[in-house]
Amino acid sequence: MSNIVGIEYNRVTNTTSTDFPGFQKDESAAWDVEDFKKSFDVKITSLDEREANFDLMRIDTSIANAFRRIMISEVPSVAAEYVYFFNNTSVIQDEVLAHRIGLTPLKVDPDMLSWIDPSLPEAEKFTDENTIVLSLNVKCTRNPDAPKNCTDPKILYHNAHIYARDLKFEPQGKQTNTFAKNPVVPADPDILLAKLRPGQEISLRAHCVLGVGSDHAKFSPVSTASYRLMPHINITQPITGESAKKLVGMFSPGVIDIDGNGAAYVKDARHDTVSREVLRHEEFEDKIKLGRVRDHFIFNVESTGAMTPEEIFFKSVRILKNKAEYLKNCPISQ
Amino acid sequence: MSTAGVMRPQATVEKDSSFEPLLKPIYKGKKLTDEINTAEDKWNLLPAFLKVKGLVKQHLDSFNYFVDTDLKKIIKANELILSDVDPEFYLKYVDIRVGYKSSSSSKDYIVPPHECRLRDMTYSAPVYVDIEYTRGRNIIMHRDVEIGRMPIMLRSNKCILNGASEAQMAKINECPLDPGGYFIVNGTEKVILVQEQLSKNRIIVEADEKKAIVQASVTSSTHERKSKTYVITKNEKIYLKHNSIAEEVPIVLVLKACGVVSDLEIMQLVCGNDSSYQDIFAINFEEVAKMKIYTQQQALEYIGSKVKTIRRQKLTTLQEGIEAIATTVIAHLTVEALDFREKALYIAVMTRRVVMAIQNPKMVDDRDYVGNKRLELAGQLMSLLFEDLFKKFNNDFKANIDKVLKKPNRAMEYDALLSINVHSNNITSGLNRAISTGNWSLKRFKMERAGVTHVLSRLSYISALGMMTRISSQFEKSRKVSGPRALQPSQFGMLCTSDTPEGEACGLVKNLALMTHITTDDEEEPIKKLCYLLGVEDISVVDSDSLHLNYCVYLNGTIVGVIRFATKFVSHFRSLRRSGKISDFISIYTNLHQKAVHIATDGGRVCRPLIIVTGGESRVKSEHLQQLLNGGLQFDDFLKLGLVEYLDVNEENDSFIALYEKNIEPRTTHLEIEPFTVLGAVAGLIPYPHHNQSPRNTYQCAMGKQAIGAIAYNQFKRIDTLLYLMIYPQQPMVKTKTIELIDYDKIPAGQNATVAVMSYSGYDIEDALVLNKSSIDRGFGRCETRRKLTTVLKRYPNHTQDMVGGMRVDENGDPIWQHRALGPDGLGEVGMKVESGQIYVNKSVPTNASDSVLTQTQAQYRETPVVYRAPEPSHIDQVMMSVSENDQALIKVLLRQNRRPELGDKFSSRHGQKGVCGIIVNHEDLPFNDQGIVPDIIMNPHGFPSRMTVGKMMELLSGKAGVLNGTLEYGTCFGGSKLEDMTDILIKNGFNYSGKDMLYSGITGECLQAYIFFGPIYYQKLKHMVLDKMHARARGPRAVLTRQPTEGRSRDGGLRLGEMERDCVIAYGASQLLLERLMISSDAFEVDVCNNCGLMGYSGWCTTCKSAEHIVKMTIPYAAKLLFQELLSMNIAPRLKLEDVFEQ
């Protein structure tokens, strides 16, 4: 069977892989490490602090999907979990502000913290090993230097807008040393947390702990981690002239080009969004076939800022490995 | 004349900046410099209209008319108070004002509305009168005497919010977007709903074909009385029927009593020279001839003998007859100098209508026709009430004066002013009580009407707005007639076609459309004079012979004259109205069937503005719209320039209205301003409603009012009994023009959810929704409830009073658990969490409150704390302490709860598609597209085929295109963004034109085999939440009488195993289950039964047999024991015969 997922006008065909033992009588299709080592390939397209785009080729869907799932929900990260209010005279309610602080991504290496033992009593739960303390102490005052007739609250008042950058890290115990080089700061300092008016103030402390995305979305280290399959375009009959020009417009720019003979050819299928526009037009019927390569995953990982995307991916690999190991050592598997 | 509007100072235009964006040509990004296309841009008249009138203009106009004009009329009608004792004495009301004194030009200070809401006060202004009265020999003028306080309608011209800028409104904690139009009485917001009634003083002809009855009826309504007069057929003869006349009177006799003695003249008045009418009517002469009644005197005496009267002094039958004809029959026509001519003509016209209906059964009127209805508004109802109270006030006042003046030797000269203040509370409390209870009881009309006012629903902005446009019908809800409930074609443009509740009030409760206006009363007299000037012959000089040869002219249902050239007259009249010489709201139309021209000046008619078309061309030209857009012209100027006019339903039916400019023909008289104004404010929220099945739009109208969202700009300042607020509301991606006009985009109730239309997990059947857990984590559908609790600290006559104590502490000095939320003052601390069982107002009541002051001992206090009882804890949001109007300390505590969506919470889109959350799924398990986008909501596709809500699909497409394009798209009714444009945007952005995307399963990672319809849809969270409904009970309270478990969640009640469930258990044969459910777990009771007498004893003793020998203990339901005892009390002895189950 081919490894091309068929993109038809109103359905998707051939979505599941069949290369597993026992599917075909004359082919063993057993998984082999050596074969996998030979065929598996990674290609990195782009990589920066926040976003990574890379290809995993010739890998089974289940594994690729497992990476995606783990990155979203099981790679631990740090977020504010307990917010203690001392004073809040702003219009925003305590719960809402706490929720917003919780969702603020923090630049903390999760490896620096250990897990909280939920069985401990409240007083002993938080130590300098598992908790990071942030505080927010702001008060809005009038700006005496504001020009007359000014209506912009940001100029009229000091601290009218409270941003994520106003969260101050309070190192506890040995954290003064351990976090000396990279103190805890919000990954995006410009997230608006609250708006104040003169006389209003907020004073709070947030305890940030380790957690996973399946518990709450704020612990997810990625904004999104997902993949798409490599588009595959097959021109079965030559398309030339006007229809070739028309065909170019039906794909994302740069996907289809016209060669010297005026015939359309697939230049770079990777950039296609697979909008299936070409399937709407009768003139291209049977002349072009759309598909996607089933075992070619174009991953896109967007980090929230705590870790680099490659770190997140590696962690997902490690977690999957641990899971496999655990399963291997499980009494059931023996 | 035309320059008056153009020259208007710019300051007024700039003043309310909130409307500024509305007047900007927002639609399709058109700039001021762009070319104006009248066909497309004439809709800008609508925001201009709403700018001038606002959304609740009907209420405001009506109230303004009442306080400015009607009050003066009432004063005029009841101006004199005379004394029965002293003929010299008189008191005369000269003038009346609300809210300001004659001496000062500025308004009096009135407590701002929001303070009234918070302090449970009434938002009212003083009513001042100027009086003139005699003191001894002197005539004294006295100005500004306060006779009471009048509740003020918010935003009316007596309200302090009238003309206030947004900044001023903010200063007094008022929301600038609040429509007003309601009252604040004792801290609650009360709306007087618009009441729909059959028009007064108009002839309605009806036929009952089965009984072969034709009747013409008229309800006469004057300030003093209401009565109904019928002209009815009986055995093919025509009679007059009236409640105060014992039996039906032959119509010929009545006409003779009215002074039309000659049979020929009667025939001429009724039938003219139409022979078919004459044939029908001729029979009526016979009966009267047989009675030998030929003269007016005979006729009057006959009528006088039939009159039912309760009169103190007896009158002769002739006098009775004259009295009846002059005052009771057709009471709204006043008779001067015993000239019954006018009344005779009126009765003749009624008779003629009956004859016409006999001859042609189609000549009957339709009661449900909107043109035959009048809408009664707050102002009219207040005016009825005020006049009643004012009359009572004057009567009491007069009685008081009489009492003083009766005393023979007074030491001082009596000053009437002193006793006027004594009664001042009557008017104030009367008005307050009526508005706060909704019971309108008027002595004059013996009218008792309940449920006139309603508490303004503040569930959402839309629900408040919807309430202001609501019209309630006087029809009985239980009657099973479809006529009044059906959609009338004449409702077009006047009443919303979609917004009506389901169930018993369906079709009886209606809503106003967006551009409707309701008229107020106009002066009749000048119009009458105008008619004569325009060539109408006065009816009093027209001879009976030629009456029906020409067109009759009716003014408010009363015939005033005849005209030969009706068309010319009507067009002259209209051009006078268009030029502003007479009021815009006076309507005129020709009824060709009746050969009549009707002019209406009365209040309560629904009307709407339309563009005038002359010579096949719209009078509104692009230069006018240009001026409208840059503020040079306002809506009123369009009226003054004669470009636009108001048409009421009757006149609308006499016009030829083109829907669009392209439809204009030579015959066209008017052009619609904007077709989407057939819908009201609430239905206007629906995107693409013209693509939906119509009941779906109706469902959405009901549900939009339950949506949680923002309520007003001052929502956090409000302390309402219960308030639901959404934490992160969003304006919809797919808007409508109505949404912008009613500011729903500023106070929205819902969020744009990314929806995948697919089946997932099986937890989505029967309209259940699948929710994304991460979306919820990030704030989707989060809401807040705010609940108020009021405590009053009472003062008692013996100088004791309730007090708020501090908190109790344990041995460590920490507050005890119950008092943990309290502060040192004994009130809950703001921000504290209160759990079930904790106290948040530690109130104590004196135990000796009933003791007298003299025997008073040291005050003892008993704790009566306010305890929080709810399954989930709350936070204290606000604590307010104030003093109410009667000087009692008032404590209001606002408790807040933050809620995230959970299983069973109800959501709905804007297309009447509601559903509960069936499952909450983790992010990683949900399907995702190429971009990694995961849906917030998965909706089951089975929701579409049977509902046929195509508008929802179009909303998704437009929303998706808008998201990709960075624009807000429009789904306006009969317009909106075109589907082709939307699909083009999708294609341009690399998406499929159909809105269907290829998705990957989040669980397997493989592609889904079908393309999934995927995009944003605006979803509303409805107020029905599981947290408020969840209930279970193991053990709990029982009812006192029956000892059975209580009923209902609020009383921690049990879940009833009802009759049908019992039937199942019996059929199944589970007798032990039956016993356990119905007795053991319910009201098992052990009784001592005496096996000798079969009656019940107690403590092992039979009181009947005086023995303990045969006592047997057994368990029966307590209800059975109760039944036996009740039977005993009725002298029936139910005896129990006990036998062994197993024979020995």
Side-chain angles (χ1 to χ4, degrees), chain A residues 7-9 12 16 65 68-69 93 95 99-100 214-215 217 226-229 273 275-276 280 292, chain B residues 716 728 773 777 784 896 924-925 928 930 932 987 990 992-993 996 998 1000 1002-1003 1005-1006 1009 1011:
Chain A
I7 304 287
E8 291 178 23
Y9 178 67
V12 187
T16 27
N65 189 38
R68 184 191 69 89
R69 291 170 60 90
Q93 298 87 347
E95 305 92 282
H99 176 228
R100 293 180 76 91
S214 58
D215 173 38
S226 80
Y227 58 73
R228 64 189 177 105
L229 296 180
T273 56
S275 72
R276 316 190 309 272
R280 255 176 94 192
R292 308 194 95 165
Chain B
F716 294 126
Y728 297 114
K773 178 168 168 290
D777 286 344
E784 186 176 277
R896 139 169 67 87
E924 67 270 17
D925 289 333
F928 57 97
D930 272 4
I987 294 165
N992 190 257
Y993 77 104
K996 291 184 185 179
M998 197 195 85
Y1000 302 85
I1003 300 168
E1006 286 162 352
Q1009 288 180 326
Y1011 298 114

